[in-house]
Amino acid sequence: MKNDEYYMMLALEEAKEAEARGEVPIGAVLVYNDEVVAKGFNLRETEQRSVAHAEILAIDEACRKLGTWRLEDTTLYVTLEPCPMCSGAIVLSRIKRLVYGAPDPKGGCAGTLMNLLQEDRFNHQVEVTAGILQSECGSLLTGFFRSLRQKKRENRSLK
């Protein structure tokens, strides 16, 4: 049986694909019965769609492949703590478990700013495991944004 680190490494591969395309490097992998059934990475800039987050794309792909919107008994691995939109999609699709790498102090809704995934008032709660390969996930994001800021400074100095 493969472990959380194995699947998070696959999510990191997705995140690196996003980065190669100039997207914020966030990747997601959805697992059912120890098999990857869907994966995704951010495509918000490429597609100019606010909902093109890694988690949403992976959930949508899994629903199509499995032929159901109920993704019970699945685990979603994502490199960054989900935002409110993605957390809502996780709850509504009945995902059993979320595993994420780096916390998101600006938008994390799996425990950092709030915890929508374990809100008792919803009809479904999600098991949450945080901090798997946190350093690797966080470093990828930090490096991406550092590079982006550097490019902006360079462009300003050319003017």
Side-chain angles (χ1 to χ4, degrees):
M1 185 171 174
K2 299 167 186 130
N3 62 17
D4 288 344
E5 288 80 13
Y6 172 83
Y7 290 115
M8 189 60 73
M9 287 299 294
L10 296 179
L12 274 164
E13 288 176 20
E14 292 297 306
K16 288 174 185 173
E17 179 63 31
E19 182 178 40
R21 295 176 185 223
E23 294 280 352
V24 176
I26 301 170
V29 173
L30 201 134
V31 176
Y32 177 67
N33 286 338
D34 209 31
E35 295 294 326
V36 174
V37 293
K39 54 190 177 177
F41 53 84
N42 272 16
L43 286 172
R44 192 168 59 170
E45 295 299 326
T46 302
E47 296 185 359
Q48 289 297 299
R49 293 186 315 122
S50 57
V51 297
H53 287 204
E55 302 95 319
I56 299 293
L57 298 172
I59 289 168
D60 190 48
E61 180 183 339
C63 290
R64 281 186 275 113
K65 279 187 177 177
L66 298 174
T68 182
W69 63 268
R70 287 184 175 91
L71 300 177
E72 298 161 337
D73 299 319
T74 64
T75 299
L76 179 63
Y77 293 85
V78 63
T79 56
L80 182 67
E81 179 181 6
C83 71
M85 173 182 67
C86 293
S87 294
I90 291 165
V91 169
L92 292 173
S93 60
R94 309 294 194 268
I95 289 172
K96 181 178 182 178
R97 182 171 176 244
L98 167 75
V99 178
Y100 72 86
D104 184 356
K106 293 183 178 181
C109 287
T112 299
L113 293 180
M114 65 185 67
N115 192 342
L116 293 176
L117 299 174
Q118 296 176 324
E119 172 57 57
D120 289 337
R121 293 174 290 179
F122 291 139
N123 64 350
H124 178 75
Q125 289 77 42
V126 179
E127 179 186 334
V128 177
T129 302
I132 301 298
L133 300 182
Q134 179 175 339
S135 176
E136 293 88 336
C137 294
S139 293
L140 187 62
L141 286 157
T142 300
F144 174 81
F145 285 113
R146 184 178 297 125
S147 174
L148 201 60
R149 286 189 299 274
Q150 180 62 34
K151 286 177 186 172
K152 284 182 181 179
R153 279 193 293 272
E154 289 170 2
N155 286 340
R156 274 188 247 138
S157 68
L158 293 174
K159 292 180 182 180

